[in-house]
Amino acid sequence: MSELDVATLQRRLADFAAARDWQPYHTPKNLVAALSVEASELLEIFQWLTPEESARVMDDPDRAHRVRDEVADVLAYLLQFCAVLGVDPLAALDAKIDRNELRFPASGDS
C-alpha cells in the first residue's frame, strides 16, 4: 500500500463498500449513527476502569487490540461520513483549532 493519507483511506473504504453494494446504506444519517455506535464501543472498554487503569490500557494485549479495532471503526465511519458530505476532515480540524486558539487563549496570552 502507498503512504497512508486521508484520501487513500477514503478511497479504500469507498471501494470496499462498492464491492459489497453498501453505498445505498451509506447516507449521512446512517454513517453518523454508526460512528456514534462505534464511539460507544470504544467508551465501553474504558467504562469501569479507574483513571490509572485507563492510562495503562494499552499494556494489556487483549484490551490494546480492542482499542485499536474500535479506533479504526470510529475513524472509518468518520472518513466515510466526511466523504459523503464533502468535508475535508483535516481542514475542518485545522480551522477548529484556529477558532479554539482565539476562544481559549493560553494563560500567558491577553
Side-chain angles (χ1 to χ4, degrees), residues 21-68:
D21 297 320
W22 288 353
Q23 306 95 319
Y25 308 105
H26 285 190
T27 64
K29 176 191 158 293
N30 288 350
L31 291 168
V32 79
L35 174 60
S36 177
V37 169
E38 295 302 337
S40 294
E41 290 180 6
L42 181 59
L43 173 61
E44 183 180 32
I45 297 166
F46 293 86
Q47 184 174 8
W48 302 113
L49 301 181
T50 66
E52 297 77 20
E53 289 169 335
S54 70
R56 295 187 313 269
V57 74
M58 299 305 283
D59 295 343
D60 177 322
D62 179 55
R63 279 192 176 146
H65 176 73
R66 290 177 55 213
V67 167
R68 282 190 294 274

